[in-house]
Amino acid sequence: MTDYDEATSFLGEWGRYQFMIFFLLSASIIPNGFNGMSVMFLAGIPEHRCHIPESANLSAAWRNASIPRQDGQDSQCRRYRLGTLTNYSALGLLPGRDVDVTGIEQEPCLDGWNYSKSLYLSTIVTEWDIVCENDWKGPLTTSLFFVGVLLGSFVSGQLSDSFGRKKILFVTMAIQTGFSIVQVFSTSWEMFAILFLIVGMGQISNYVAAFILGTEILGKSARIIFSTLGTCIFFAIGYMMLPLFAYFIRDWRTLLLALTIPGLFCIPLWWIIPESPQWLICKGRLEEAEVIIRKAAKINRVPAPAVIFKTTELEDIAERQKRSYTLLDLVKTFNVRIITIMTVFLWLITSIGYFGISLNTPNLHGDPFLNCFLLAAIEVPSNIFAWLLLRYISRRYSMCGSLLLGGVVLLLIQLVPLDLQILSTVLVMVGKFGVTAAFSMVYVYTAELYPTVIRNTGVGIGSVSSRIGSVISPYFVYLGAYNRLLPYILMGSLTVANGILVLFFPETFGKPLPETIEQTQSIKGLCCRRKIHREDIAYPEVKKNCILINTKL
């Protein structure tokens, strides 16, 4: 059909209608910033040690000596055998003078733990004792949320294609908000974790629906700013608000409820945000699409033409839909197959770096609330920086530079002396700056690599790879319990390797977007550095181009 942007160009690029849609859809993403990182405080791990019950009948000296020392501090998971200590106490013996306590048999915390309340009044960790032999439940809780995000990534696009962008946006908002409220009343860790998975499904689904709705309603210039700055910065705003809520609300149930309530403010948007006219057109509902466009023209105070969309264009839509493409088209030809494999690794490692740095915030030196706020705030200039790079610098060098900046800085953390912990925090912020910029650009770069006929599928595979990375990332953080530098060494090494990998991608800056698989094969890249493969015979243009260049070589 006639280009949608051309047909609606009479609306202008930035009228009152576009500003309203831009702001409201961006604002609807703010709660995602809460939910995505809230586990840092909901599952915060305070200082703890074995509980010594009053019934143990220990003297003050033996009670003080009941916890063994480990690495210069009290053990968090072991205590000396209470039966032995009780006997020594009853005999009037003193620890250190009459008895060498280091030789006393140890036992696990059979009576539970005492938790420090200097940072948190309660978390799910203190509620259900997710420490020591149960500490595996901590990273699993976070991973289950991201498993929900992964599952939501699979279905959100198909659901919005079938039932409409607007309906899925608000249904998934309701799922995210509703199940978060139910989560407040969890009676066990298992219940909390299952509900968290469902919340993750709702979170990514409404994010994707809002993203698609905005890019389809807004014009070209507004669309670019919305997809690169609007969604990312408003997510960062929600992320920045999270530590503010957590600072003033130290009880996990009250905090979760407070983070959930803003989602209820999105309900009135149902009567303001329209359905995507482009989706309506694709479904053959031209009259409904025209009503929305005419209402937009009225808001912008511009006259609308008598006929906006022609009914004869439905035939063109039907013709275009005859040829369908599947996941197999991502691996049928050599060059697209290589690009797909490299894209999977690019998204996977970038995601591990981004979420690994973010979730490792509680392990940083200093106040966790301030550190979280700073790591969230750094995303605003980082996204602006990414937007500028996309406008003026080649994609490969932009991505490579951002990833190398993030990776090298993370590797440098291990060289910082222990008495300069503030410098370590600054380096982590710089690393977060670089990785966030790369994460912002990878969406645009991936969309430019694939042709129109499989572009959504290609970006979808990248997005799924990113979700797998987010599922893995909590276990990188978990390694910090054994060595505080290990997460940074691993994330830094992978990020540097990722920065080198991106140099092998074709360059897309300043080039027209490919429409067909044949055009993708003509992009300067791996195709022209190999022998022609049997599967490329179906693409004469590819075969011709490769033969010509191989001859020159």
Side-chain angles (χ1 to χ4, degrees):
M1 63 177 295
T2 303
D3 183 74
Y4 174 82
D5 291 321
E6 180 183 343
T8 59
S9 59
F10 65 90
L11 291 175
E13 286 292 327
W14 281 105
R16 293 196 300 172
Y17 176 74
Q18 287 89 346
F19 273 111
M20 178 186 71
I21 296 299
F22 180 94
F23 176 77
L24 292 180
L25 285 178
S26 297
S28 72
I29 292 173
I30 291 178
N32 291 323
F34 297 156
N35 289 278
M37 302 297 175
S38 62
V39 70
M40 285 188 293
F41 299 107
L42 297 178
I45 305 174
E47 292 293 325
H48 53 278
R49 53 178 282 175
C50 292
H51 175 64
I52 307 298
E54 293 296 330
S55 59
N57 293 323
L58 295 178
S59 65
W62 279 107
R63 187 173 291 276
N64 291 334
S66 60
I67 305 298
R69 302 287 290 178
Q70 184 178 359
D71 298 327
Q73 58 185 0
D74 288 344
S75 173
Q76 295 184 326
C77 298
R78 306 289 292 179
R79 69 185 185 187
Y80 292 119
R81 191 175 187 87
L82 284 191
T84 304
L85 299 187
T86 302
N87 292 335
Y88 286 144
S89 179
L91 293 172
L93 302 176
L94 293 177
R97 190 191 72 178
D98 303 315
V99 180
D100 179 11
V101 293
T102 59
I104 300 175
E105 184 181 357
Q106 298 180 14
E107 63 183 5
C109 301
L110 301 177
D111 298 294
W113 289 261
N114 293 328
Y115 296 96
S116 168
K117 295 190 177 181
S118 60
L119 280 179
Y120 313 107
L121 293 179
S122 71
T123 68
I124 65 168
V125 170
T126 64
E127 181 101 3
W128 297 302
D129 290 331
I130 306 177
V131 291
C132 299
E133 64 270 14
N134 289 321
D135 62 355
W136 57 271
K137 294 181 179 178
L140 181 59
T141 303
T142 309
S143 290
L144 285 174
F145 173 82
F146 288 117
V147 167
V149 172
L150 174 62
L151 296 175
S153 299
F154 278 116
V155 301
S156 57
Q158 289 84 349
L159 289 175
S160 62
D161 285 343
S162 300
F163 301 103
R165 318 311 194 198
K166 178 179 177 179
K167 287 181 181 178
I168 297 304
L169 171 63
F170 285 93
V171 167
T172 52
M173 276 184 182
I175 291 174
Q176 178 180 345
T177 303
F179 280 92
S180 292
I181 293 175
V182 176
Q183 221 179 351
V184 173
F185 303 99
S186 297
T187 57
S188 65
W189 172 79
E190 290 78 9
M191 177 180 176
F192 179 92
I194 292 172
L195 291 173
F196 212 23
L197 184 148
I198 299 173
V199 170
M201 292 180 64
Q203 190 248 22
I204 188 60
S205 297
N206 70 61
Y207 182 93
V208 170
F211 184 89
I212 295 174
L213 190 57
T215 54
E216 291 183 347
I217 292 179
L218 299 172
K220 287 183 179 179
S221 62
R223 183 184 306 145
I224 293 172
I225 297 177
F226 172 77
S227 58
T228 55
L229 291 182
T231 55
C232 296
I233 289 181
F234 276 78
F235 180 90
I237 290 173
Y239 188 0
M240 284 188 285
M241 294 173 67
L242 170 63
L244 298 179
F245 275 89
Y247 180 79
F248 291 104
I249 305 173
R250 305 295 180 98
D251 172 72
W252 77 267
R253 293 183 189 271
T254 310
L255 173 61
L256 181 56
L257 183 61
L259 295 175
T260 302
I261 289 175
L264 300 176
F265 297 147
C266 295
I267 294 176
L269 299 183
W270 172 265
W271 291 276
I272 303 175
I273 296 175
E275 180 55 270
S276 165
Q278 291 201 54
W279 180 80
L280 292 171
I281 293 169
C282 287
K283 294 298 181 180
R285 296 156 62 177
L286 288 183
E287 295 80 5
E288 295 177 56
E290 285 207 6
V291 169
I292 293 173
I293 298 301
R294 293 186 186 282
K295 184 177 180 181
K298 185 177 180 181
I299 294 174
N300 281 355
R301 298 175 182 174
V302 295
V307 177
I308 301 175
F309 306 112
K310 299 177 182 179
T311 54
T312 55
E313 291 172 346
L314 288 174
E315 298 176 3
D316 297 330
I317 297 173
E319 184 66 27
R320 280 196 338 211
Q321 291 177 341
K322 284 183 179 179
R323 170 70 170 96
S324 61
Y325 293 84
T326 66
L327 284 172
L328 294 178
D329 289 287
L330 295 177
V331 294
K332 278 184 179 179
T333 59
F334 179 84
N335 214 30
V336 175
R337 180 163 64 243
I338 295 299
I339 288 175
T340 298
I341 294 171
M342 294 169 65
T343 297
V344 167
F345 282 103
L346 177 64
W347 281 74
L348 178 73
I349 298 173
T350 304
S351 177
I352 289 175
Y354 175 81
F355 287 103
I357 295 172
S358 300
L359 296 173
N360 198 47
T361 302
N363 295 330
L364 293 176
H365 174 75
D367 187 279
F369 305 101
L370 178 60
N371 289 338
C372 181
F373 178 81
L374 292 175
L375 287 177
I378 200 68
E379 293 197 7
V380 175
S382 178
N383 285 309
I384 296 174
F385 177 69
W387 176 65
L388 293 173
L389 290 178
L390 288 171
R391 285 176 60 88
Y392 301 112
I393 301 179
S394 71
R395 303 292 186 250
R396 290 191 303 166
Y397 295 140
S398 298
M399 288 287 297
C400 176
S402 298
L403 288 168
L404 288 181
L405 171 65
V408 170
V409 167
L410 292 177
L411 288 174
L412 289 176
I413 293 175
Q414 61 185 308
L415 303 178
V416 178
L418 289 174
D419 57 344
L420 292 177
Q421 294 292 339
I422 295 178
L423 178 58
S424 296
T425 302
V426 171
L427 291 177
V428 171
M429 290 182 62
V430 176
K432 178 73 178 294
F433 179 92
V435 174
T436 300
F439 211 0
S440 300
M441 292 186 286
V442 73
Y443 284 88
V444 176
Y445 193 18
T446 304
E448 292 174 345
L449 285 169
Y450 287 101
T452 300
V453 293
I454 56 173
R455 182 167 296 127
N456 281 348
T457 307
V459 175
I461 286 294
S463 180
V464 168
S465 303
S466 168
R467 307 312 162 198
I468 294 174
S470 65
V471 172
I472 298 172
S473 62
Y475 292 94
F476 278 74
V477 178
Y478 184 64
L479 293 175
Y482 301 95
N483 187 312
R484 69 178 187 88
L485 296 175
L486 194 54
Y488 297 117
I489 294 173
L490 291 176
M491 289 187 291
S493 301
L494 288 173
T495 303
V496 168
N498 213 20
I500 297 172
L501 172 68
V502 80
L503 292 175
F504 292 92
F505 278 94
E507 183 54 68
T508 61
F509 180 65
K511 296 183 179 180
L513 293 178
E515 294 291 334
T516 65
I517 291 180
E518 293 91 333
Q519 291 173 353
T520 305
Q521 301 295 323
S522 300
I523 292 177
K524 181 181 179 182
L526 296 172
C527 168
C528 304
R529 299 180 184 179
R530 63 175 179 87
K531 296 179 180 179
I532 297 177
H533 286 245
R534 181 179 299 174
E535 62 263 34
D536 293 334
I537 295 176
Y539 303 103
E541 183 181 351
V542 180
K543 182 176 180 180
K544 178 182 177 182
N545 289 342
C546 288
I547 291 175
L548 288 175
I549 294 177
N550 284 332
T551 302
K552 292 179 182 179
L553 293 176

